[in-house]
Amino acid sequence: MSTFRVAVLPLDAVEHHPKADRLSLCRVRGFTAVVAKNPDGSHRFAPGDKVLYVPEGAVLPISLLRANGYWNEELDTGKLAGPQGNRVSAIELRGVLSQGLVWESPTPDAKVGECFAERLGITKYVPEIPPSLLGQVAVCMEAKMLYDIESFLSYPTFFVEGEEVVLTEKVHGVCAQVSRIPGLADPQMFAGGEVVITSKGLGDQGLVFRNAPENADSPYVRTVLGIDLPERLLRWAERNAPGEKVTVVSEIFGRGIQDLHYGASEPTIRGFDVRVGRTWLDEDDKAAALADLGLPRVPVLYRGGFGRKLADELRSGTTTLEGGNIREGIVITAVGSQAKRVTDMETFIRPVLKYHSPAYLTRKGGTEYR
């Protein structure tokens, strides 16, 4: 999940909805939010206005739901998504994908980029993890890693037209992180105590799965051990990065993991990122490392000059894997150095962004376990 912010941002454009006279289209960065017009049919906002953008995944307190017309007093529930009607989600309104809410700035002197989530009591939605994805864990702060890929729509001008990139299919599963930590020698871990297995959510907290019989049925542990990845990673690291921490980031998917299972009856793993020390490997070195590890890679859809039109096309459609389900989207990664770059918002991010398909965002009964 990308960085969660409820920030004041300038409106890039305000347009009439092509199929609804009472609705406006407000463009914020790369996102479009459908907003009700004033009673007289005029737009509520104008280009350049500083507004509060409330993104998908935001959970709102009752006070804000009431204040902004999203509370049903008769039913005593919110009008948004989720069991309590208090979660912002993507929705298609008269044929237009609406992502997030646009409100007036909380204060007239708010600065662009200023975050109001904490002050307004807005939190990030974190789905409850089913017992089948949990397990016995141990603390290993050496394995702690905050892994996030930002949304392309948050930085729509980040990649320059023609810049060499790789577009890979974004596979909907759970993120597995397998790390070789030299000198760890912990009997609770794998491959002689030097390799740890964790999830994205656990890795954020410095927690890892224990090498214990209780974890034998964990999709993370079972799938990673099923291809002997800990031992392979240990040997690869000793040959190619002695003394360095090496982390392989993969996606585990299949029936029983998320709502999209790609026709896989058993959990299946595909790699997509590799870090050696503090450096994320570039495209060619990463591809070589995954091949050496014998770890299949997520599907590569394109390599060449970046183009917005092509990205728009490739993010949608049907998966290139088995099963015929919808495509979650794509991940856009620069071919060269993975060092962080400054954005037009004066933040620093890796040159890798995710771009979801509208069908994925608006599907019914979707799961988002970490």
Side-chain angles (χ1 to χ4, degrees), residues 62-89:
I62 293 176
S63 58
L64 283 182
L65 293 171
R66 283 198 169 109
N68 291 278
Y70 294 109
W71 185 258
N72 187 316
E73 294 289 351
E74 183 178 346
L75 298 178
D76 195 34
T77 188
K79 298 179 181 179
L80 301 178
Q84 297 176 319
N86 61 349
R87 187 174 79 243
V88 179
S89 65

Side-chain angles (χ1 to χ4, degrees), residues 24 44 104 109 190 325 327 346:
S24 302
R44 287 178 57 194
E104 292 182 357
D109 59 346
F190 301 86
N325 51 245
R327 187 172 297 178
E346 298 183 352

Side-chain angles (χ1 to χ4, degrees), residues 48-60:
D49 283 354
K50 289 194 298 184
V51 298
L52 186 73
Y53 178 66
V54 186
E56 297 167 66
V59 178
L60 309 181

